[in-house]
Amino acid sequence: MTSITMGKALNLALHDALASDDHVVMFGEDVGRLGGVFRVSDGLQDEFGRERIFNTPLAEATIAALALGLAMKGFRPVAEMQFDAFSYPSFQQVTSNIAKYHTRTGGAVNMQLVIRIPYGGNIGAIEQHSESPETYYVHTAGLKVVTPSTPEDAYRLLTAAIIDPDPVIFLEPKARYWMRQEVDLPTTPLPLDRANVVRAGRDVTLIAYGPTVQTALAAAEQGESEGVSLEVVDLRSLSPLDMDTLRDSVRKTRRAVVVHEAPVFMGLGAEIVAQLMHDLFDVLEAPIERVGNATIPYPPSRFEKLFLPDADRILEAVDRVREY
Amino acid sequence: MAKALHSRSQPQEGVDHPIASLLAADGVLTSEGERIAAVSDAQLRELYRMMVIARRLDQEGLNLQRQGELGLWGPYVGHEAAQVGAALAMESTDWIFPYYRDFAMAVCRGVDPGAILTIFRGLTHGAWNPYEYRFAPFIIPVGTQVPHAVGFAVGCTFDHEQTAVLVGFGEGATSTGDWHEAMNFAGVFQAPVVFLCENNQWAISVPLEEQVAGRVVDRAAGYGFPGVRIDGTDVLTVYAVVRAAAKHAREGHGPFLVESVSYRMQPHTTSDDPTRYRSDADLEPWRGKDKDPIERCAARLRLRNAFDERFVAAVTQEADERASAMRQTVLTAQPGHPERVFNLVFANPPASLMRERDEFTSALEQGGAE
């Protein structure tokens, strides 16, 4: 077992994918000599050369389009967007072309590509560097959207995303790039459509993903000391949603809280709550609560802690569903 | 001020610029004689034949739409030389990334025109396998196909192939960010791309001078590769220049921009009403035999004694037969089961989507039984 960070785990996943399949190529802004602004591709250009790991001009739409063209040619491209808000110029390519290309070619062309996007806040950044754009992507049919919460999951999900024949939006919780975990790598890929019960509990289910899984676990820890047993489910996959796992958990606890950094309004929580309410109407003991951002542009970093989910806000929501 | 900026009386400088001098400046083909010698009479007859077929199919497409059989038709009269000349100039191992009006290119590549029409009949979004014809799908969001061609071409260089990639677009596309990004990427990566601008001088209702500052062809210099502006009503020129540009790209000399200038002789699509923005007089200069791609080609063939009534009759008959076959194919095409739309979303579909499909299908069957 070695202690590694999520950033290093992603680096290893890329390394192992590049080593095992000549068709894997990776590109984006500053991913070459610099190794990316978060160093996720650190050292890869030296080892695999400039045809496998290369810088592109600063133009996200064409970074995504390049991935489309290379996938069509038979490569397995991994494109990096430097930050969440900088993925928006590529939105048309992703939604109109990448997500629809398989359909538009009668199933003849696969879009075996990955677009990696560091996302989320809590790093004290300047604006446009802390956004949670997942709803834009999950609302587009034809994309798979996943996000890891630990170094091990990061390795296993990225490996799976690169192997998968469909386009995967791979959201990396940048606040967790430096999170460490004792883990043996390499290890097997994970399915791209399964949630994971990361902590078993009896009283309330906390549903989280990416950066908020650790927050939910911290809340569960604190809850236990206060005599409340909280189950924590890590979605891992945002599209599709593993509703089977969520239903199994909530059938047991009969209460749930969904936690994400994105605004509550039309966030992932809205869909999760709607489905659970529909499927478990007779089981639920209380309306499901959601903890997330207000309907505001991501706030200046001085205020971000006030808007990010934390253990206290989660436990307040837990109180509300328990006292309903 | 706005009137001055958009004045229609500004000269269309370079529209009729002779090809030879442009090529001489770029050194691709050095003389008129070499250019003409490079195209045999047999090739010229083939170009003529495909242009006649293309125009006949266009007429049939328009008829089908007018008869209510197609939801939409986008005529390409005025583009025959550009599309046929460019498509036939590419090697069979080369690739073409078209825009939505490049129907004649698809036909030249062997795609079944009746199958293409199933898109316009609303039966499908994808009517052919790109790998079978080395012909990518029509792309509708303007300009977004241009960087796809660059990505694909970069892949060709990674695979050490000598493949050129042609990408078609109108002059309106050159206003998009994706187009400029693609041009820059192609220059940076020295990608083997032939950028073919089918400048028909109208983007729906917006004329060239309200669309393009300066000239499209001059953009190439800004991205560090050659560009030529050619007469897009002369199939011989299009064929020779695109062939030279593709050779340039294939042999590792990087991208090439060809601006082919002609005129959109029909509405943008059948949903358009050009009487609101242009007059019949605007089209008049482009109606002469010296501007019609097919007439011009015929004149050249006559001069070469390679044009006789039997040839014309055979081509006309073939065009009629192919139009009739296209009509037959599209009118008898079956949409298939609607659950097809679920099956084509992913190569490896998630179970949840398949459940959604099954619920849809069973609801459909129950509805049908009632």
Side-chain angles (χ1 to χ4, degrees), chain B residues 304-333:
Chain B
R304 304 278 311 163
N305 286 322
F307 194 77
D308 55 71
E309 275 178 30
R310 234 171 57 188
F311 170 64
V312 177
V315 168
T316 308
Q317 190 187 338
E318 185 191 356
D320 285 341
E321 284 167 5
R322 288 177 71 154
S324 164
M326 177 175 84
R327 166 180 287 267
Q328 181 72 11
T329 301
V330 68
L331 293 186
T332 56

Side-chain angles (χ1 to χ4, degrees), chain A:
Chain A
M1 301 272 261
T2 337
S3 167
I4 69 164
T5 62
M6 183 183 288
K8 183 62 185 168
L10 291 165
N11 178 272
L12 277 174
L14 288 169
H15 175 278
D16 293 352
L18 286 153
S20 67
D21 184 348
D22 285 347
H23 290 95
V24 176
V25 291
M26 192 226 162
F27 49 89
E29 295 154 12
D30 304 295
V31 304
R33 264 167 297 174
L34 182 66
V37 293
F38 291 106
R39 307 294 182 266
V40 170
S41 55
D42 185 37
L44 297 179
Q45 191 178 61
D46 281 345
E47 183 166 351
F48 294 100
R50 295 167 68 105
E51 281 203 353
R52 308 283 307 280
I53 302 284
F54 54 93
N55 289 333
T56 64
L58 204 166
E60 290 80 5
T62 294
I63 292 172
L66 208 63
L68 183 156
L70 283 164
M72 192 169 175
K73 187 70 183 75
F75 288 86
R76 291 189 177 277
V78 181
E80 177 175 301
M81 298 290 153
Q82 200 159 68
F83 281 92
D84 29 59
F86 303 161
S87 72
Y88 302 150
S90 67
F91 198 62
Q92 184 181 29
Q93 286 293 346
V94 171
T95 53
S96 295
N97 294 326
I98 289 171
K100 298 186 174 83
Y101 219 78
H102 190 69
T103 285
R104 299 191 78 256
T105 55
V109 179
N110 289 352
M111 286 286 105
Q112 68 281 0
L113 62 87
V114 180
I115 297 178
R116 296 178 35 244
I117 308 174
Y119 81 116
N122 214 3
I123 60 165
I126 194 78
E127 65 178 327
Q128 318 283 4
H129 290 67
S130 299
E131 311 217 342
S132 296
E134 56 268 30
T135 291
Y136 303 137
Y137 294 107
V138 299
H139 202 68
T140 300
L143 302 175
K144 296 174 180 177
V145 185
V146 298
T147 180
S149 65
T150 66
E152 180 181 348
D153 281 12
Y155 181 94
R156 300 177 72 190
L157 280 175
L158 184 54
T159 306
I162 294 171
I163 295 168
D164 197 76
D166 296 308
V168 179
I169 304 296
F170 193 88
L171 297 168
E172 301 174 1
K174 67 174 88 79
R176 305 295 179 206
Y177 272 139
W178 301 275
M179 170 192 179
R180 284 191 169 274
Q181 185 185 17
E182 295 281 332
V183 60
D184 270 333
L185 297 178
T187 182
T188 52
L190 283 171
L192 287 176
D193 58 354
R194 292 279 189 283
N196 183 30
V197 179
V198 290
R199 180 184 173 114
R202 291 181 313 275
D203 298 332
V204 178
T205 299
L206 302 182
I207 300 164
Y209 56 87
T212 57
V213 173
Q214 287 306 309
T215 319
L217 284 169
E221 198 69 28
Q222 196 177 322
E224 187 170 281
S225 69
E226 295 165 10
V228 190
S229 172
L230 299 177
E231 180 146 305
V232 179
V233 182
D234 174 2
L235 290 178
R236 279 181 176 159
S237 171
L238 308 186
S239 180
L241 283 172
D242 177 7
M243 290 309 299
D244 292 339
T245 299
L246 295 183
R247 274 189 296 262
D248 286 349
S249 175
V250 176
R251 212 173 265 122
K252 183 177 69 175
T253 60
R254 296 171 172 252
R255 293 175 171 86
V257 175
V258 187
V259 186
H260 51 58
E261 288 189 14
V264 167
F265 181 75
M266 288 291 163
L268 257 290
E271 177 65 23
I272 291 166
V273 170
Q275 290 204 39
L276 289 175
M277 194 276 286
H278 178 272
D279 297 347
L280 302 177
F281 189 69
D282 294 333
V283 170
L284 287 167
E285 297 283 1
I288 301 170
E289 285 282 332
R290 291 176 286 165
V291 178
N293 202 352
T295 317
I296 53 167
Y298 195 84
S301 59
R302 185 66 66 89
F303 304 138
E304 72 180 337
K305 302 278 189 215
L306 300 174
F307 293 93
L308 287 163
D310 60 16
D312 286 346
R313 283 181 65 202
I314 293 171
L315 289 172
E316 283 162 20
V318 165
D319 288 346
R320 287 196 295 275
V321 298
R322 292 182 69 230
E323 290 159 11
Y324 180 77

Side-chain angles (χ1 to χ4, degrees), chain B residues 47-57 294 315-316 319:
Chain B
L47 291 163
Y48 176 87
R49 173 177 158 262
M50 288 313 297
M51 286 198 296
V52 171
I53 289 168
R55 183 169 293 178
R56 181 66 186 84
L57 295 182
I294 292 175
V315 168
T316 308

Side-chain angles (χ1 to χ4, degrees), chain A residues 51 57 59 61-62 65-66 68-70 72-73 75 92-93 97 101-106 108 110 142 144 164-166 240, chain B residues 95 125-126 129-131 137-139 141 144 147-148 151-152 155-156 158-159 161 178 181 184-185 344-348 350 352:
Chain A
E51 281 203 353
T62 294
L66 208 63
L68 183 156
L70 283 164
M72 192 169 175
K73 187 70 183 75
F75 288 86
Q92 184 181 29
Q93 286 293 346
N97 294 326
Y101 219 78
H102 190 69
T103 285
R104 299 191 78 256
T105 55
N110 289 352
K144 296 174 180 177
D164 197 76
D166 296 308
Chain B
W95 269 77
H125 290 322
N129 177 345
Y131 294 117
F138 290 151
I139 293 292
T144 64
H148 302 165
F152 193 92
C156 292
F158 288 170
D159 283 340
E161 286 175 11
D178 284 27
E181 291 183 17
N184 184 49
F185 272 59
L344 290 175
V345 183
F346 292 106
N348 177 25
S352 55

